[in-house]
Amino acid sequence: MNKGMTSVHGRGRTVSKLRKSHNARPPRSRQRTGSVCDSDIDVNLRIISYDDTVRKLDHYYGIVKRQLLQNQSITLGLFPLSSQEKEVADIRTTIYCAASIWSLFQAYRRIDDDRGKAYELGQSCVKCMRGILNCWMRQTENVENFKKGQNPKYALHSKFHLKTGKEVVSSDDYGHLQIDVVSLFLLFLVQMITSGLQIIYTMDEVTFVQNLVYYVERAYRTPDFGMWERGSKYNNGTPELHASSIGMAKAALEAINGCNLFGEKGASWSVIFVDIDAHNRNRSIFETLLPRESSSKNVDASLMCTISFPAFATHDQMLYSKTRSQVISSLEGKYGFKRFHRDGYGTVLEDKRRRFYHSAETKEFEKIECQWPLFYLYMILEGMFKNNEEQVEEYKNKLKPLVKRDKWGDPVIPMYYFVHKDNVEDEQAEPGSQYRQSSPEGTPKNLFLWGQSIWIIASLLMDNLLHINELDLIRRHLPSYNRPRKGGRYSAFQRSRYFVKSKNHKGTASDLVVQVVLIAESMRLQAMMATYGIQTQTPHEVEPVQIWPPKELVKVYQNLGVSEKLGLGGRPTRPIGALGTSKIYRVCGQTVLCYPLVFEVSDFYLSHDMALLIDDIKTELHFVGKYWRLSGRPTVCILIREEHMRDVHFRELLDLLAMLKSGYCDGLKIRTGRLQNLIASSCIEHLDFMNAMDIDLDITPFEQLQHASIGYQSLTDVPTAITYSEDSMSFKDMGLQPTPEVLSVLRSVSTLHGQTQLLGILLRREGRNFQVDGVSVEVRLERLLQEVSECHFWGAMRLAAATLNKLYPSVSHITTILVQGCQLTAGYGKDEILLDKPVQPAEIHDLFYTPALQAHNVVQAVLQQEVVLYCGKLIATHTQLFNGILNIRIGWVIKAMTYYLHDVCHGKESIESLAPNEVRRLVVKVLSIDEWAHKERLTPQQIRVIDGCLGRTPKRFYEKVFHILSKSTEGVRLCDQLLPQHPTISEMSSGELNFALTVQSLLNRIQHPEYRQIVVELFSVIATILERNPELKFLHELNLDQIVKEAFKMFLKDLGREYTEDMSSFYNASQVAVTSYLARAIVNFMLTGDVRSEIEEGLTFCKVS
């Protein structure tokens, strides 16, 4: 054994001699021939002694046979969690066992004559991976249902019967929804197929794997139970969004995109396709969550498996380093790594008879969490991939005393180390002081197979029997721009020849060029654009290339993964995003370019605002330029319609197009030109799966408008849209009148807004099909909506859209907000609806069209949708605007906008009557108040109102509240709501997102935004006093309303005024003045006897400030 192995094996015995009869072979003199991966392996890896290599490999072959293959199911090839388990197979363990066997298979391929061992190992892998596939393919109905709504009860199972493959535990009794398991399977499936193993046999299996891709594509919005199978750290059955699951899904999507499941000899229809926009959303959310694991877990050891081997899910060095250092500093111990803080698994205090914990029970496990040596192995693997010998040596030495031995002398990795019940109190008093015992799993008689698998992989690398490039054939450990280029017809996540690596751009394309094709709807529009120097093409001129609406491409993708035999319906009808529409497609012999969704004319009124469209075009181009990760340049189609000519903002569109022609758009490199000239450098996706299908596609390409003559030659000849206005008149009282009376008034009213109101009354009372002069109410309203849209009468447009229950056709912006760690609240007052997890499109109607919101103001249903959309786009691109905001309460954001418009700017218009682009500017304005409040000389009260509406808090605010609560024995009271000390601080920690959300829900009970901000200031003052006087604590309820009231009384007294309920003068006082009165009120509160120091309680460790 070489020195590298001795340090892990211990005692330095040459174990292979003990088993000579098992592994003996005659001496060899033949030189090895080239291995499959020779071209990729460093020259330093030449094998000096062929015989020595064979002996080492045979040594590991013996270990794999005894420790792993001995426990493989004889029927399906699955593995249990531990060797004593004879009934239940664990899928995650099975995948790691397969990876370990495969790594030895890869190592054996270096030598010329392995006596059939490599083939045996390879077939064991195939059997294992096919066993998993076999079990999951019995659950195709679950996969189809899960695709539609990500319901945990339809999750693929993570446990099966070891021999029969049948279900052993229901989704009600166990958290099967573990996105990382399916992703891990896909990841190693690609690695193994790349090595030449034939795992997938039939097209039915190809179809199923394509549906597994759909299964994990929405990981970014799917709360699951995570790697530890328990969901939140409270172990109460609640799933969470886990960064480790999302990162694993991102890695799997990158790996499997364009992979031919039949290997090098496969046909074009056995290729797997990935939605690049779904991948980007997973990437975005994963990087947003890091270094946090979830809402309840600030840090988790599972992230090491995600950012390093096997996923290598991020190559952003700053994020990687921050996450890694947080895991090591927070979780590493003498015996391994904790999984996460307050993890009760395996501790002596955990009641193993109960599946779930009681409230606040996790506090009991603090400082005695079990430590897992498994993660020392992951750190060794990370060191090998990073070529960090010091790290490898460090963790080998840490692992050495923890490793046990079986009767063969083979190393055995314990599952975890726990604190004995007699030492619990001492360990909690002084963490790390007590000896720990090893778990029942991970002993010679009961092997922990996951740990053994990772040990074998690490040992093969350390003994130079395996190179990192043989373990990671698809080069996940390298940034995409350093991976070998893929050949073939399919897009790949990697650098194209146009990408230039840059330190400032984190490995993305610093000099990426976005190609832009300008398509004019008609020849006369083309001629008119030419007079302004803008060269465009018509749909006829780009032929044989077709221009498609994105919804037509959705129809094509619906056929990907369809199987009547399996009951699978193909790709769900999700829209194609900005990145997907930037590829050029070859479909059934046709070349196709799709225009982006922003040019789709929907029945939601936003598409009629030209200024909004111009902003969206810029945003779209920058989004594509920033997040493009495929070979070839992105090609964006800008569609110019004749209706755009009539818009008052058309000149701004011309300015934008002229800027694009210059080659830049706000710093982004642009190349405009004829489509035929741009195709060669574009990213081209071949949808070959359509060639194997005998179906007729009902596709409607974008059609060119035909005119008798070219017509308009100049912009001055174009009739501009009229600026429509009318006297606003409310017909709300007509809701109390009988229907004949309403009909009579309707026939006499000429104003569009008035007609909309009256038709709305009839629709709600009589139904959509009620006839008015031979036409249904619904049709009348649709016609009216079209009429007010043409003349940009925004107030009537919003009213008509709300009356017809119109919905914005996407929920991605809602998901974007939620996965950024913010909650979202729709509605007003007591009828607010809180959103804390992603919703399905079908649920959106009930969110905005509630009876309470309809009664308050029917227009709010669409206005709130509009503001949610703007917030979703802003939080993705300008995250700093939402600093200090944990709950975006849409009704209150609109209240802040109204306040700014009317009370600060003294405007007369209502928000509902503004153009959408003006509403968006208002949203940005109130969110960026810190940047302009001083310049525009806002009063303290105005600042407090806007900040209070937004729910903004200062830095470290929630840590301060946690400290206050820890000093308040009876809790904190606000607005007759008590925030108790226990179980709040017993169950949560100060930096935990869930604690912050709990405090937010308390503050949200306040109905006056100015008062809310005063309370926020009060918290800060109390925290400062407690920090300066750490010996103090409150013995009774800390009543915040009482303290604010006392401060206000003192404020009035100093001004010589009588007490009044109107606190406007107090709200308008400077922050310094308010802080002063609040501090005096707190001192008075303390002097009433409601506070005591630790000295008075006889404690000797008081620290007097």
Side-chain angles (χ1 to χ4, degrees):
M1 304 291 288
N2 70 1
K3 183 179 178 181
M5 282 304 303
T6 302
S7 63
V8 174
H9 292 175
R11 300 197 293 276
R13 287 192 291 176
T14 308
V15 182
S16 57
K17 290 183 181 179
L18 300 175
R19 299 183 293 281
K20 196 161 186 177
S21 60
H22 183 76
N23 290 321
R25 60 167 63 236
R28 302 171 186 271
S29 58
R30 294 175 60 187
Q31 297 299 309
R32 72 181 180 94
T33 60
S35 77
V36 174
C37 297
D38 263 357
S39 60
D40 298 320
I41 299 172
D42 197 291
V43 290
N44 294 328
L45 273 179
R46 287 187 188 140
I47 300 170
I48 298 169
S49 170
Y50 185 82
D51 286 350
D52 186 44
T53 299
V54 172
R55 279 195 296 272
K56 288 179 182 178
L57 287 174
D58 286 351
H59 164 67
Y60 285 110
Y61 174 78
I63 293 177
V64 166
K65 289 281 281 187
R66 286 187 298 277
Q67 293 190 345
L68 299 186
L69 294 177
Q70 181 68 27
N71 296 294
Q72 188 173 23
S73 162
I74 57 174
T75 51
L76 293 167
L78 305 179
F79 290 87
L81 180 67
S82 59
S83 58
Q84 282 186 359
E85 175 60 62
K86 302 302 180 186
E87 297 289 327
V88 180
D90 180 74
I91 300 300
R92 184 183 288 101
T93 300
T94 297
I95 297 168
Y96 276 113
C97 286
S100 177
I101 298 165
W102 174 72
S103 65
L104 184 57
F105 160 78
Q106 285 288 88
Y108 260 114
R109 295 173 72 181
R110 290 187 178 193
I111 65 176
D112 178 42
D113 181 12
D114 57 34
R115 297 282 179 92
K117 291 189 176 74
Y119 183 79
E120 178 197 356
L121 294 166
Q123 293 308 106
S124 296
C125 288
V126 171
K127 181 172 183 176
C128 182
M129 298 296 279
R130 288 191 59 76
I132 297 171
L133 195 65
N134 186 310
C135 292
W136 280 346
M137 285 186 74
R138 300 177 192 185
Q139 299 187 321
T140 52
E141 186 178 351
N142 279 14
V143 174
E144 186 61 23
N145 287 324
F146 187 85
K147 279 157 47 180
K148 297 171 183 174
Q150 292 79 53
N151 190 321
K153 73 177 180 179
Y154 297 124
L156 284 171
H157 283 206
S158 301
K159 306 275 188 188
F160 290 96
H161 193 279
L162 195 59
K163 295 176 182 175
T164 66
K166 292 182 178 178
E167 298 176 3
V168 290
V169 58
S170 71
S171 293
D172 294 330
D173 299 320
Y174 174 74
H176 283 293
L177 180 50
Q178 298 162 35
I179 296 289
D180 70 296
V181 171
V182 183
S183 303
L184 193 67
F185 173 80
L186 295 175
L187 192 57
F188 277 113
L189 179 69
V190 177
Q191 296 276 23
M192 292 175 186
I193 289 173
T194 306
S195 74
L197 292 181
Q198 190 65 46
I199 296 172
I200 304 300
Y201 292 171
T202 67
M203 277 308 299
D204 287 333
E205 292 169 5
V206 172
T207 298
F208 183 75
V209 172
Q210 179 66 59
N211 278 271
L212 289 184
V213 170
Y214 300 146
Y215 184 96
V216 303
E217 270 184 349
R218 307 204 104 182
Y220 66 91
R221 50 164 298 144
T222 307
D224 73 340
F225 293 98
M227 185 178 289
W228 309 127
E229 308 168 7
R230 289 183 166 187
S232 77
K233 79 172 183 185
Y234 314 127
N235 188 25
N236 55 9
T238 306
E240 289 186 313
L241 279 175
H242 287 95
S244 56
S245 293
I246 298 170
M248 199 68 81
K250 169 193 177 281
L253 293 174
E254 289 174 357
I256 205 164
N257 183 53
C259 175
N260 195 316
L261 296 187
F262 288 166
E264 292 181 358
K265 299 178 182 178
S268 59
W269 47 83
S270 54
V271 172
I272 297 299
F273 292 86
V274 167
D275 179 354
I276 181 179
D277 290 283
H279 163 267
N280 183 64
R281 283 189 281 270
N282 279 294
R283 179 208 54 76
S284 171
I285 302 313
F286 172 60
E287 293 180 351
T288 299
L289 285 172
L290 288 182
R292 199 174 77 239
E293 162 71 340
S294 68
S295 295
S296 68
K297 290 174 253 188
N298 278 358
V299 63
D300 192 305
S302 63
L303 288 171
M304 284 309 302
C305 312
T306 312
I307 63 172
S308 187
F309 177 83
F312 303 101
T314 183
H315 294 284
D316 180 327
Q317 197 54 47
M318 187 178 73
L319 266 182
Y320 178 92
S321 300
K322 190 174 181 182
T323 304
R324 179 185 181 277
S325 63
Q326 188 161 308
V327 169
I328 293 172
S329 62
S330 302
L331 302 178
E332 186 178 350
K334 295 178 184 176
Y335 296 84
F337 282 62
K338 303 173 188 176
R339 302 194 305 181
F340 53 87
H341 289 302
R342 296 186 178 180
D343 172 27
Y345 183 85
T347 61
V348 293
L349 299 184
E350 184 182 57
D351 185 351
K352 295 174 176 58
R353 296 166 297 178
R354 283 187 285 114
R355 180 185 171 195
F356 298 132
Y357 293 160
H358 296 312
S359 176
E361 189 175 352
T362 55
K363 177 71 172 175
E364 298 174 15
F365 311 126
E366 191 167 15
K367 299 178 182 177
I368 61 162
E369 302 93 338
C370 294
Q371 296 179 10
W372 294 54
L374 170 69
F375 289 99
Y376 282 168
L377 289 165
Y378 276 108
M379 295 304 295
I380 290 171
L381 284 172
E382 187 206 34
M384 294 300 297
F385 276 100
K386 294 287 186 183
N387 196 25
N388 187 335
E389 293 181 9
E390 286 184 11
Q391 179 176 322
V392 173
E393 199 63 35
E394 175 191 351
Y395 284 98
K396 274 165 49 177
N397 292 331
K398 287 181 177 181
L399 183 65
K400 180 178 176 180
L402 307 177
V403 174
K404 299 183 179 298
R405 304 239 161 220
D406 62 14
K407 64 180 181 180
W408 298 98
D410 298 333
V412 174
I413 307 298
M415 186 176 186
Y416 56 82
Y417 279 83
F418 66 94
V419 178
H420 190 273
K421 62 181 179 181
D422 296 337
N423 302 331
V424 167
E425 290 185 9
D426 291 336
E427 178 69 15
Q428 288 178 327
E430 189 180 347
S433 63
Q434 302 301 303
Y435 171 76
R436 288 175 178 252
Q437 294 178 275
S438 60
S439 60
E441 302 86 1
T443 61
K445 292 185 178 179
N446 189 23
L447 297 170
F448 171 46
L449 297 183
W450 181 2
Q452 295 307 123
S453 301
I454 301 299
W455 176 83
I456 289 167
I457 295 172
S459 298
L460 287 171
L461 286 172
M462 288 188 290
D463 263 4
N464 288 335
L465 298 172
L466 184 70
H467 188 266
I468 55 173
N469 287 349
E470 292 171 307
L471 180 61
D472 180 20
L473 288 173
I474 57 176
R475 307 298 191 269
R476 290 285 320 147
H477 66 284
L478 297 176
S480 60
Y481 51 80
N482 280 345
R483 292 174 196 156
R485 280 184 56 79
K486 275 187 183 179
R489 298 160 59 81
Y490 309 102
S491 63
F493 290 97
Q494 62 190 117
R495 173 185 60 167
S496 77
R497 57 195 161 146
Y498 304 103
F499 278 34
V500 175
K501 181 180 174 183
S502 165
K503 292 180 181 178
N504 299 326
H505 287 73
K506 304 175 184 177
T508 61
S510 63
D511 125 0
L512 173 69
V513 175
V514 176
Q515 300 181 156
V516 173
V517 177
L518 304 179
I519 301 294
E521 189 176 32
S522 66
M523 289 181 68
R524 71 177 187 181
L525 176 58
Q526 181 188 36
M528 194 213 77
M529 299 295 288
T531 63
Y532 291 90
I534 308 295
Q535 302 302 318
T536 61
Q537 290 177 281
T538 63
H540 286 175
E541 287 179 345
V542 299
E543 290 177 352
V545 180
Q546 293 185 351
I547 306 297
W548 283 11
K551 63 184 178 183
E552 302 301 323
L553 191 57
V554 172
K555 291 180 187 177
V556 173
Y557 270 118
Q558 281 176 325
N559 295 288
L560 178 61
V562 172
S563 172
E564 288 185 23
K565 186 161 55 168
L566 294 174
L568 295 171
R571 183 183 186 271
T573 53
R574 301 168 189 157
I576 306 293
L579 300 173
T581 55
S582 298
K583 300 179 189 177
I584 289 176
Y585 294 87
R586 298 207 193 273
V587 189
C588 299
Q590 298 282 349
T591 303
V592 173
L593 176 63
C594 285
Y595 57 77
L597 273 170
V598 295
F599 295 105
E600 195 80 295
V601 178
S602 72
D603 57 0
F604 201 73
Y605 57 88
L606 296 183
S607 59
H608 296 282
D609 187 347
M610 171 67 80
L612 196 66
L613 175 66
I614 293 168
D615 285 346
D616 283 342
I617 293 172
K618 291 180 182 177
T619 303
E620 193 95 348
L621 291 171
H622 280 276
F623 177 86
V624 170
K626 185 175 182 181
Y627 297 120
W628 187 256
R629 295 290 186 276
L630 301 181
S631 300
R633 287 175 176 167
T635 305
V636 178
C637 174
I638 292 184
L639 192 61
I640 308 166
R641 300 178 186 270
E642 287 202 348
E643 67 184 60
H644 295 158
M645 291 190 298
R646 302 180 64 246
D647 197 281
V648 292
H649 296 284
F650 187 56
R651 286 186 182 274
E652 294 172 29
L653 179 62
L654 287 174
D655 292 340
L656 172 64
L657 298 179
M659 180 169 63
L660 298 181
K661 183 183 175 184
S662 72
Y664 286 91
C665 175
D666 299 335
L668 178 70
K669 290 185 180 179
I670 301 290
R671 181 187 173 191
T672 58
R674 296 177 61 82
L675 179 54
Q676 288 85 344
N677 297 336
L678 299 177
I679 287 180
S681 53
S682 298
C683 173
I684 301 177
E685 190 75 272
H686 295 78
L687 303 186
D688 291 333
F689 63 89
M690 293 299 297
N691 300 339
M693 294 185 171
D694 185 19
I695 55 172
D696 291 325
L697 278 176
D698 180 22
I699 298 294
T700 308
F702 179 69
E703 295 289 343
Q704 179 171 325
L705 289 182
Q706 301 295 335
H707 298 291
S709 62
I710 291 179
Y712 308 125
Q713 296 295 326
S714 167
L715 193 58
T716 55
D717 298 332
V718 180
T720 56
I722 58 170
T723 305
Y724 183 84
S725 64
E726 62 181 30
D727 294 331
S728 62
M729 181 177 177
S730 174
F731 289 87
K732 191 174 182 179
D733 294 343
M734 292 303 298
L736 304 173
Q737 302 300 319
T739 298
E741 181 69 21
V742 177
L743 284 169
S744 175
V745 174
L746 176 62
R747 293 185 181 104
S748 64
V749 168
S750 60
T751 62
L752 299 178
H753 195 258
Q755 291 177 32
T756 308
Q757 292 177 69
L758 293 167
L759 286 169
I761 292 170
L762 291 173
L763 183 141
R764 287 187 288 275
R765 182 187 298 175
E766 306 291 347
R768 291 175 174 266
N769 297 320
F770 180 70
Q771 299 292 305
V772 178
D773 298 335
V775 182
S776 71
V777 172
E778 183 175 22
V779 172
R780 284 279 299 260
L781 271 168
E782 290 284 4
R783 290 175 181 171
L784 198 57
L785 178 57
Q786 184 62 34
E787 187 178 350
V788 294
S789 297
E790 289 174 0
C791 58
H792 290 180
F793 185 13
W794 299 109
M797 207 185 302
R798 286 191 177 93
L799 179 59
T803 305
L804 288 165
N805 285 10
K806 297 292 185 184
L807 292 170
Y808 186 75
S810 172
V811 296
S812 60
H813 50 285
I814 294 178
T815 304
T816 303
I817 291 171
L818 295 175
V819 296
Q820 293 277 348
C822 287
Q823 290 181 331
L824 184 66
T825 307
Y828 267 119
K830 296 179 181 178
D831 299 304
E832 284 183 322
I833 298 176
L834 177 67
L835 271 184
D836 55 2
K837 59 184 178 182
V839 293
Q840 302 302 322
E843 301 172 56
I844 294 297
H845 181 275
D846 295 337
L847 178 64
F848 292 106
Y849 288 98
T850 60
L853 193 57
Q854 296 277 60
H856 175 78
N857 184 349
V858 66
V859 175
Q860 285 289 320
V862 291
L863 187 60
Q864 290 205 11
Q865 288 184 67
E866 201 178 321
V867 174
V868 170
L869 173 66
Y870 303 148
C871 288
K873 289 186 175 181
L874 286 169
I875 202 170
T877 55
H878 298 81
T879 314
Q880 75 282 357
L881 292 177
F882 296 85
N883 287 346
I885 302 176
L886 270 184
N887 187 338
I888 302 174
R889 303 168 77 193
I890 299 303
W892 286 88
V893 172
I894 293 174
K895 201 168 185 177
M897 293 157 60
T898 305
Y899 180 84
Y900 175 76
L901 189 65
H902 295 163
D903 293 60
V904 178
C905 299
H906 308 293
K908 302 297 182 184
E909 288 183 290
S910 65
I911 297 285
E912 293 92 335
S913 64
L914 297 177
N917 70 86
E918 294 171 327
V919 173
R920 179 154 78 174
R921 289 194 183 99
L922 260 184
V923 172
V924 174
K925 186 72 175 179
V926 296
L927 285 171
S928 60
I929 181 174
D930 291 343
E931 299 172 10
W932 53 266
H934 180 71
K935 184 179 178 182
E936 296 190 16
R937 298 185 179 180
L938 263 64
T939 66
Q941 181 172 8
Q942 290 172 334
I943 295 172
R944 286 189 175 106
V945 169
I946 294 175
D947 274 339
C949 287
L950 299 176
R952 183 166 273 148
T953 55
K955 288 182 179 178
R956 295 185 59 244
F957 174 73
Y958 300 104
E959 294 175 33
K960 293 176 180 178
V961 176
F962 191 91
H963 183 59
I964 293 169
L965 193 57
S966 68
K967 295 281 190 175
S968 305
T969 311
E970 298 298 319
V972 176
R973 182 171 291 278
L974 178 65
C975 297
D976 292 325
Q977 179 75 26
L978 180 68
L979 179 63
Q981 185 184 60
H982 295 286
T984 309
I985 65 171
S986 306
E987 196 164 82
M988 303 177 191
S989 55
S990 61
E992 193 176 310
L993 180 59
N994 282 352
F995 175 74
L997 294 172
T998 301
V999 176
Q1000 269 292 322
S1001 67
L1002 180 70
L1003 291 172
N1004 287 350
R1005 297 179 65 84
I1006 302 172
Q1007 292 303 307
H1008 297 285
E1010 313 98 307
Y1011 187 78
R1012 178 193 172 104
Q1013 286 311 101
I1014 293 291
V1015 171
V1016 168
E1017 291 171 42
L1018 173 59
F1019 270 123
S1020 297
V1021 173
I1022 298 173
T1024 302
I1025 291 173
L1026 291 178
E1027 284 170 10
R1028 293 175 181 173
N1029 303 275
E1031 72 280 2
L1032 298 179
K1033 68 179 184 180
F1034 299 99
L1035 299 181
H1036 302 294
E1037 270 184 13
L1038 181 60
N1039 193 316
L1040 301 180
D1041 296 315
Q1042 183 182 332
I1043 294 173
V1044 173
K1045 190 174 183 179
E1046 182 68 24
F1048 180 49
K1049 284 181 179 177
M1050 287 188 285
F1051 173 77
L1052 290 177
K1053 184 178 179 181
D1054 286 356
L1055 291 177
R1057 298 181 188 174
E1058 293 294 320
Y1059 180 76
T1060 172
E1061 294 293 330
D1062 182 8
M1063 296 180 66
S1064 298
S1065 55
F1066 193 54
Y1067 295 146
N1068 210 24
S1070 68
Q1071 186 174 359
V1072 173
V1074 168
T1075 298
S1076 170
Y1077 285 104
L1078 290 174
R1080 286 169 58 187
I1082 295 164
V1083 171
N1084 287 351
F1085 181 78
M1086 291 174 172
L1087 293 176
T1088 60
D1090 281 338
V1091 68
R1092 180 174 295 179
S1093 74
E1094 290 166 352
I1095 296 176
E1096 294 175 275
E1097 295 186 349
L1099 300 180
T1100 58
F1101 52 88
C1102 170
K1103 301 176 212 168
V1104 180
S1105 174

